[in-house]
Amino acid sequence: MVRSSLLTCLLFLLAAALAPASRLVLPTLTRSHLSCLDNPPDLTAVGNEAGEIVHDLGGLQAYVMGSRSSTHAIVLASDYYADQVADEGYLVVVPDLLHGDPYNDEAKIPFEEWIKTHSPVEATEKTKALIAALKEQGMSAVGVGGYCWGAKVAVELSKSSEIEVVVILHPSLVTVDDMKGFMACSEVQHPIEILGAELDGASPPPLLHQFEQALDQNKRIDNFVKIFPGVGHGFASRYDANDPFAVETAEEARKDMVTWFNKYLKKHQELSLHES
């Protein structure tokens, strides 16, 4: 697991903007809703980073690791598992979408005020510029993984032509309309895997099943929805490292994510080699 203060900014906030700031729809912030702030990483640990900080990648600061010779990249709205994903041969990019200002238990302003300047919809547009920069550097295919707050960014990107595949884990404020859209340009357009939790109050199983039903109506894209039993929101990122069940579940989610990326990005690589 990468230990970097830059990456703290990408740690799974329990909210997302569904529209511009004036039309935000926010959850009620009780402690039961803040599980993605639990078990924070040890930011005093240094020296284990395998990558480097790039100060301007499409206008964003980002942590980059993995094969620089790869033509396939994965953008993670999270720092978790960046090293394991890079081990699969990808260039992995973790952009600082919160510009060094994450929301946490010590925040000095109410969450409702903080989110007005940290919209995942706006972050999506900034990430598109980063992806464009990656493609200028030779990347032919890009996948996106998003946890909690980052899941909204990933879903918004899945409605565009910039990427090839998406994985979201314990999403926050992703909606059924995101999945089906009101027209072709506002629905998910790429293979999407959704990894949820049985005890997740932000995206409970009935909502995840609605996602699945909406996606099943779109015959053009592949989808996979999995609900992990006995765990709650944040299970794939903010888990107790001393709890064997929690660790095992998070590892299973990581493997599922990597398998989904491999299925579509490596397929894209094979097609590119065949065409060349």
Side-chain angles (χ1 to χ4, degrees):
M1 184 183 299
V2 177
R3 307 288 193 183
S4 170
S5 57
L6 162 65
L7 302 180
T8 320
C9 306
L10 308 166
L11 295 177
F12 328 125
L13 312 175
L14 184 106
L18 301 179
S22 62
R23 297 175 55 200
L24 291 178
V25 179
L26 302 174
T28 301
L29 291 178
T30 66
R31 283 303 307 174
S32 63
H33 287 140
L34 293 175
S35 54
C36 53
L37 298 181
D38 294 338
N39 301 308
D42 178 8
L43 298 179
T44 64
V46 296
N48 295 324
E49 293 84 356
E52 63 176 329
I53 294 175
V54 176
H55 293 285
D56 186 356
L57 185 56
L60 288 171
Q61 184 168 248
Y63 186 84
V64 180
M65 67 184 308
S67 174
R68 292 299 184 134
S69 63
S70 175
T71 58
H72 292 69
I74 292 175
V75 176
L76 291 179
S78 141
D79 64 336
Y80 284 81
Y81 308 130
D83 50 351
Q84 292 97 327
V85 176
D87 287 344
E88 294 291 320
Y90 299 110
L91 181 73
V92 178
V93 179
V94 186
D96 179 9
L97 297 175
L98 300 180
H99 302 289
D101 184 30
Y103 186 82
N104 55 46
D105 289 333
E106 299 178 356
K108 296 181 180 180
I109 62 173
F111 180 82
E112 292 81 357
E113 291 300 316
W114 178 91
I115 194 63
K116 291 179 181 179
T117 55
H118 298 79
S119 164
V121 177
E122 294 176 3
T124 300
E125 297 306 311
K126 296 175 182 177
T127 307
K128 287 180 180 179
L130 178 142
I131 292 172
L134 288 173
K135 292 190 174 181
E136 288 178 0
Q137 295 177 8
M139 294 298 143
S140 62
V142 177
V144 178
Y147 297 66
C148 191
W149 182 92
K152 180 67 174 178
V153 176
V155 168
E156 289 298 315
L157 287 168
S158 75
K159 303 172 187 178
S160 71
S161 60
E162 279 87 352
I163 66 169
E164 278 67 41
V165 58
V166 171
V167 178
I168 62 174
L169 302 94
H170 42 81
S172 179
L173 292 189
V174 174
T175 70
V176 176
D177 285 340
D178 284 323
M179 300 300 157
K180 62 183 180 181
F182 295 104
M183 47 187 163
C185 63
S186 64
E187 67 182 2
V188 171
Q189 299 181 31
H190 303 284
I192 181 170
E193 178 179 68
I194 301 173
L195 304 178
E198 178 187 15
L199 308 177
D200 190 344
S203 291
L207 179 59
L208 298 178
H209 288 308
Q210 290 181 52
F211 291 169
E212 186 174 28
Q213 291 169 5
L215 289 166
D216 284 344
Q217 294 176 18
N218 186 345
K219 306 299 182 182
R220 296 172 298 139
I221 63 165
D222 194 9
N223 73 85
F224 178 71
V225 177
K226 181 175 180 178
I227 299 173
F228 288 78
V231 291
H233 190 74
F235 79 94
S237 55
R238 292 303 189 93
Y239 57 88
D240 183 355
N242 296 313
D243 181 341
F245 176 73
V247 172
E248 180 181 350
T249 304
E251 175 63 11
E252 182 179 346
R254 181 195 68 82
K255 290 179 178 178
D256 288 343
M257 175 178 68
V258 170
T259 298
W260 192 257
F261 283 143
N262 287 345
K263 179 178 180 180
Y264 292 98
L265 291 179
K266 293 191 174 180
K267 176 181 177 181
H268 184 277
Q269 183 178 35
E270 292 172 358
L271 290 172
S272 297
L273 291 173
H274 179 72
E275 291 173 356
S276 62

